[in-house]
Amino acid sequence: MRKLRARWSVLADRIEAGTPADRDRTVDALRSFAILGVVLGHWLVTALTTANGGLSNTSPLAHLPWLAPVSWVFQTLAVFFLVGGHVAARGHVSARERGVPYGVWVGQRLSRLFRPVAAVLALWTVTAAGMLLGGAEPGTVQTLVKLVLSPLWFLLVFAVLTAATPLVVRIGPLWPLAVVAGVDVWRFGFGGPEWIGWVNVAAGWLVPYTLGAAWSRGAFAGRTPAALLLGGGAAATVGLVLWCGYPASMVGVPGAPISNLNPPTLAAVSFGLAQCGLALLLRGPLERSMRRPRAWAKVALMNLSAMTIFLWHQTSMMAVTALGLLAPVDLPGLHTVPDSPQWIAARLLWLPVFAAALGVCWAAFRTYEQAGRPRRRASAPQASRPVTGSRPVPQRLLAPEGMIEHA
């Protein structure tokens, strides 16, 4: 144990020494918390049961509605788009100043975003074909493939907004917010067609994205705007849930007539505003925390593999679930119906197992994410200063644009 602590201390010092002095570490910290929120949220509210023969997807939120507040903690997508808009806007300005053409800039960002996706799609194409040829129930295969592919919608929307960054930075968040409100009024108030709700997939996530772009221009230098976002967004969300019939859960619940997330509703967007306000208010404490080398090292390492973790966390959960089918009985918290507090307790015990499986996926596929990252010159003497007894961290590992920033 003492040797492990010593090695970790050396690694943390190397990362600290290899970090450019001008890097905004709060951006990396917010991204890391958002990633953890997505991963833990999926692991806690997604359940694959054998109650109907093959594996079918359900959620404890469908059986235990009092768990809805859990979704308020782990539905962190608005923070992704806040950080993404902030970094994309800064990156585009920097590219223009350096004379980099728009096509080159956006091509580099999108290629870095989608390169790791190819590995997921290739593996699951082979896996799904093998399962069908082996006689697996088509419903089971569909359930598994849907769970793997469903998070990818986020990347598609993010890619579109990234490509449109030169345009969207010119508009404020009130315009897409008004579109979301109008769509919901038409859809729910006047019986409009269901398909109109999908307009909110772009408009809804454009709201935090434009907030991030405004952040890059210094719009949130003080705490008052962020506090107003937090208070106003929280009040609007409470009002929409209590008096306008919106679901309390901020994630989709199987079997529910309305989902706040699929497509995004006004309640999801107002909740995202509150999240963004809170994230911006936390910049000061996060900045102070990230000055500690051990804390910063954890965040930096998380960001090195952010896309790998995001893309493979569902696969790791499903792999553990599938291997558990070899047991002679259904395993509590893994294959049983999530309809009791006992299931919750059992599920918590499975989280370290899911994490271990994710570690295996990380070891196998992280190279797809890190390949092609550009090296960057140190911006300060400390960025290349070696730590006694070890080499400095390669600059390509701590490039200033991380996972979402490369998107």
Side-chain angles (χ1 to χ4, degrees):
M1 182 63 69
R2 187 171 297 177
K3 289 184 178 180
L4 289 176
R5 290 175 180 171
R7 290 180 179 178
W8 168 246
S9 179
V10 171
L11 177 60
D13 289 339
R14 289 176 59 195
I15 293 173
E16 176 69 23
T19 302
D22 60 349
R23 188 182 184 94
D24 187 350
R25 303 184 184 191
T26 62
V27 173
D28 299 272
L30 289 174
R31 184 187 304 113
S32 295
F33 291 140
I35 294 165
L36 289 176
V38 170
V39 171
L40 292 176
H42 281 155
W43 286 353
L44 289 171
V45 304
T46 302
L48 293 169
T49 73
T50 57
N52 299 320
L55 288 176
S56 58
N57 180 31
T58 186
S59 170
L61 297 174
H63 301 273
L64 304 169
W66 52 269
L67 285 176
V70 172
S71 68
W72 306 345
V73 177
F74 296 109
Q75 204 286 76
T76 53
L77 287 175
V79 179
F80 272 122
F81 285 94
L82 174 75
V83 172
H86 171 73
V87 176
R90 286 176 51 193
H92 182 249
V93 170
S94 175
R96 285 194 305 174
E97 291 175 347
R98 290 180 284 114
V100 177
Y102 165 78
V104 174
W105 173 78
V106 75
Q108 290 175 344
R109 297 177 75 86
L110 295 184
S111 66
R112 291 166 191 157
L113 177 66
F114 286 111
R115 186 185 296 113
V117 175
V120 177
L121 296 179
L123 177 69
W124 272 98
T125 298
V126 174
T127 300
M131 292 178 67
L132 292 173
L133 292 174
E137 293 184 3
T140 296
V141 177
Q142 181 181 3
T143 296
L144 297 180
V145 172
K146 185 177 180 180
L147 284 175
V148 171
L149 297 182
S150 58
L152 298 186
W153 70 262
F154 152 75
L155 298 180
L156 294 176
V157 177
F158 194 91
V160 170
L161 295 183
T162 297
T165 294
L167 298 177
V168 300
V169 295
R170 300 178 182 179
I171 65 175
L174 290 179
W175 290 105
L177 181 61
V179 172
V180 173
V183 166
D184 273 18
V185 169
W186 186 11
R187 181 182 170 200
F188 300 127
F190 295 97
E194 286 297 314
W195 61 262
I196 195 64
W198 295 103
V199 172
N200 286 351
V201 173
W205 299 119
L206 185 55
V207 173
Y209 195 88
T210 53
L211 284 174
W215 173 17
S216 73
R217 300 190 297 268
F220 297 98
R223 295 176 60 85
T224 300
L228 290 174
L229 273 181
L230 173 58
T237 304
V238 171
L240 290 169
V241 171
L242 292 181
W243 298 304
C244 298
Y246 285 88
S249 173
M250 289 299 145
V251 299
V253 179
I258 299 175
S259 168
N260 271 325
L261 200 57
N262 192 28
T265 64
L266 183 59
V269 174
S270 63
F271 177 76
L273 290 175
Q275 274 190 324
C276 291
L278 179 60
L280 292 167
L281 285 174
L282 289 175
R283 285 176 297 168
L286 285 176
E287 181 182 7
R288 291 189 291 272
S289 177
M290 291 300 102
R291 291 173 187 165
R292 300 198 297 267
R294 307 304 177 265
W296 166 238
K298 295 174 184 177
V299 167
L301 292 174
M302 169 72 77
N303 277 272
L304 290 179
S305 302
M307 274 290 289
T308 303
I309 293 170
F310 177 80
L311 291 172
W312 291 97
H313 74 277
Q314 292 281 62
T315 297
S316 63
M317 180 191 70
M318 288 185 282
V320 172
T321 304
L323 289 174
L325 293 174
L326 299 175
V329 297
D330 287 343
L331 299 176
L334 198 62
H335 307 125
T336 53
V337 177
D339 58 0
S340 68
Q342 289 76 19
W343 184 93
I344 300 172
R347 186 64 159 200
L348 292 174
L349 295 177
W350 284 107
L351 295 185
V353 184
F354 296 160
L358 181 56
V360 174
C361 293
W362 171 83
F365 299 105
R366 65 187 175 91
T367 55
Y368 290 92
E369 178 177 1
Q370 296 178 2
R373 283 184 171 176
R375 293 181 179 273
R376 179 180 184 266
R377 295 178 186 175
S379 58
Q382 75 171 57
S384 58
R385 184 180 66 248
V387 177
T388 303
S390 65
R391 296 174 297 173
V393 176
Q395 288 300 309
R396 66 181 178 87
L397 295 184
L398 289 173
E401 295 188 341
M403 184 276 274
I404 298 295
E405 294 156 302
H406 277 320

